[in-house]
């Protein structure tokens, strides 16, 4: 039995599909299942049981002997939310409960951290654990993820295997419900489909031309492959970057989206909203050597490959993964 929290969400629902494809069908999904927009993410998947997140720990106390692995991917992920209490409740304290339960019941754990922990990137994007206490995220979401990473590293009691994954800019199917927090590719596709053009944020940093801001975009299919690897690997506990390892520009992303749709490129620029400018990352790129060093050797999707697959096989068809 494998538990996936946040299972109705983007990455976790893709993981459920990947687990099913590998013939893991005793999946217990944990989430707040009241959000109608997320229902399509789990439709048609092989699921043993649905557990509301508020009742999960009571359920685990009764069923821990059957649980082989926990993927804790549930979190509030809105980077524009500034109510720290929300993040303390859902991201920090809930994660501590998951960790403690995994220690008590000796269940291996993979949990979601975030590249938002790196803040402006002044300390780089190396996942060396000694630098984690020095990081300064740019928003309460990033703070909540870094606070849990720091807390986990301080614990003397740890699950016999655990890994925290610092997700970079993940894109791909099953993010239909995410609204403003969906990937730029998702928004680009819909703008191009509706208007034949799309808008990117103008640069407000003299070191970067408009559209030349860079991110490490990682396809969700790569993210779930890393999760599968760690579930089977179960050694070398620690915190790992999870990006493609290759920063690309928003312009490249946009041009690839137009090409995948067979539409001539038409790109305009708009000012970055003032409330986001001070906290805007102009460059992110995951150093992936740590994950590679423990034996992960699959090639990651290039931006060209990922955008084409996402646009043509999912967005254009309205399909889920």
């Amino acid at each position: 039995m494998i538990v996936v929290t946040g299972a109705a969400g983007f990455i976790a629902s893709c993981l459920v599909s990947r687990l099913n494809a590998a013939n893991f069908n005793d999946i217990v999904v944990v989430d707040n299942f009241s959000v109608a927009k997320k229902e399509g993410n789990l439709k048609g998947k092989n699921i043993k049981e649905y557990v509301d997140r508020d009742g999960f720990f009571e359920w685990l106390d009764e069923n821990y002997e059957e649980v082989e692995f926990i993927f804790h991917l549930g979190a509030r992920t809105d980077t524009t939310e500034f109510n720290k209490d929300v993040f303390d409740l859902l991201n920090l304290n809930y994660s501590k409960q998951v960790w403690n339960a995994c220690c008590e019941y000796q269940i291996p754990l993979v949990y979601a951290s975030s590249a938002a922990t790196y803040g402006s990137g002044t300390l780089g994007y190396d996942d060396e654990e000694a630098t984690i206490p020095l990081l300064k995220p740019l928003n309460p979401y990033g703070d909540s993820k870094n606070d849990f990473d720091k807390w986990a590293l301080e614990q003397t009691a740890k699950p016999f295997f655990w890994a925290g994954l610092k997700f970079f800019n993940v894109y791909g199917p099953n993010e239909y419900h995410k609204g403003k927090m969906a990937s730029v590719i998702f928004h680009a596709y819909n703008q191009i489909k509706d208007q034949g053009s799309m808008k990117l944020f103008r640069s407000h940093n003299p070191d970067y031309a408009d559209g030349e801001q860079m991110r490490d975009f990682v396809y969700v299919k790569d993210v779930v492959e890393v999760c599968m690897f760690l579930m089977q690997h179960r050694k070398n506990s620690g915190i790992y970057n999870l990006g493609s390892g290759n920063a690309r520009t928003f312009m490249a992303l946009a041009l690839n989206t137009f090409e995948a749709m067979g539409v001539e490129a038409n790109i305009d620029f708009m000012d970055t909203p003032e409330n986001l400018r001070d906290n805007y990352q102009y460059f992110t790129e995951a150093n992936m050597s740590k994950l590679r060093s423990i034996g992960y050797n699959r090639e990651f999707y290039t931006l060209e490959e990922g955008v084409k697959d996402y646009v043509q096989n999912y967005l254009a068809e309205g399909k889920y993964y």
Side-chain angles (χ1 to χ4, degrees):
M1 188 184 289
I2 297 169
V3 172
V4 181
T5 75
F10 166 37
I11 298 172
S13 64
C14 290
L15 177 59
V16 172
S17 184
R18 181 65 182 86
L19 286 163
N20 283 172
N23 212 27
F24 291 96
N25 297 312
D26 284 347
I27 311 294
V28 176
V29 293
V30 180
D31 211 322
N32 169 9
F33 295 104
S34 66
V35 182
K37 288 189 294 184
K38 294 182 179 181
E39 288 177 359
N41 283 347
L42 293 178
K43 190 174 181 180
K45 293 176 170 57
N46 293 324
I47 292 166
K48 182 180 180 70
E49 193 169 351
Y50 290 74
V51 178
D52 186 88
R53 72 181 181 207
D54 292 335
F56 172 56
F57 297 106
E58 183 179 340
W59 178 92
L60 189 59
D61 288 341
E62 296 172 359
N63 295 277
Y64 67 89
E65 290 180 342
E66 296 180 68
V67 177
E68 180 184 348
F69 206 97
I70 293 179
F71 290 99
H72 176 43
L73 305 184
R76 176 63 64 87
T77 59
D78 188 346
T79 57
T80 63
E81 169 68 68
F82 282 87
N83 183 349
K84 184 176 182 295
D85 292 341
V86 171
F87 292 111
D88 283 347
L89 175 68
L90 295 177
N91 292 8
L92 182 58
N93 295 330
Y94 196 94
S95 298
K96 288 179 180 180
Q97 282 186 271
V98 172
W99 176 282
N100 288 333
C102 287
C103 290
E104 181 179 356
Y105 298 134
Q106 283 299 290
I107 301 170
L109 170 69
V110 165
Y111 73 85
S113 181
S114 171
T117 57
Y118 288 116
S120 62
T122 53
L123 295 177
Y125 297 95
D126 295 333
D127 45 9
E128 291 303 319
E129 290 165 11
T131 66
I132 286 174
L134 306 176
L135 297 176
K136 298 187 184 308
L138 297 174
N139 51 52
Y141 165 69
D143 282 331
S144 71
K145 290 297 189 179
N146 201 51
D147 287 347
F148 182 71
D149 287 345
K150 289 188 292 185
W151 181 88
L153 291 172
E154 291 167 356
Q155 300 311 296
T156 53
K158 293 179 168 67
F160 74 86
F161 169 73
W162 65 276
L165 297 176
K166 290 189 183 235
F167 296 142
F168 277 67
N169 283 67
V170 186
Y171 67 95
N174 299 17
E175 60 171 341
Y176 298 103
H177 64 282
K178 292 191 67 174
K180 65 184 179 182
M181 297 308 298
S183 71
V184 178
I185 298 164
F186 176 85
H187 291 296
Y189 173 83
N190 285 299
Q191 285 181 34
I192 295 165
K193 188 175 75 165
D194 294 342
Q195 303 161 19
S197 64
M198 66 163 293
K199 294 182 183 293
L200 290 173
F201 283 151
R202 186 172 284 115
S203 173
H204 300 273
N205 181 328
D207 294 335
Y208 292 85
D210 292 342
E212 297 301 308
Q213 305 97 313
M214 301 183 79
R215 290 281 192 283
D216 189 328
F217 301 104
V218 59
Y219 197 29
V220 71
K221 290 185 179 181
D222 284 321
V223 170
V224 299
E225 289 299 336
V226 171
C227 288
M228 297 292 290
F229 166 79
L230 291 170
M231 182 180 71
Q232 291 153 354
H233 185 71
R234 299 195 189 192
K235 53 187 177 181
N236 308 109
S237 294
I239 295 174
Y240 294 88
N241 280 340
L242 183 39
S244 70
N246 186 19
R248 300 291 300 274
T249 66
F250 281 99
M251 181 64 76
L253 180 152
L255 293 173
N256 274 289
T257 306
F258 277 104
E259 183 172 343
M261 296 176 70
V263 177
E264 186 176 347
N266 184 0
I267 300 168
D268 295 317
F269 295 95
M270 60 182 178
D271 287 342
T272 305
E274 290 195 20
N275 66 319
L276 298 180
R277 285 185 203 176
D278 290 343
N279 297 331
Y280 189 83
Q281 292 174 303
Y282 278 82
F283 176 87
T284 67
E285 184 176 77
N287 180 344
M288 294 300 295
S289 60
K290 187 174 174 184
L291 185 68
R292 294 298 194 191
S293 75
I294 67 167
Y296 189 77
N297 56 18
R298 286 181 68 103
E299 290 299 315
F300 284 78
Y301 279 77
T302 65
L303 185 65
E304 287 76 8
E305 292 166 343
V307 170
K308 183 177 181 180
D309 185 54
Y310 182 26
V311 167
Q312 296 183 356
N313 295 324
Y314 297 94
L315 290 173
E317 304 289 332
K319 288 183 177 178
Y320 292 81
Y321 176 68

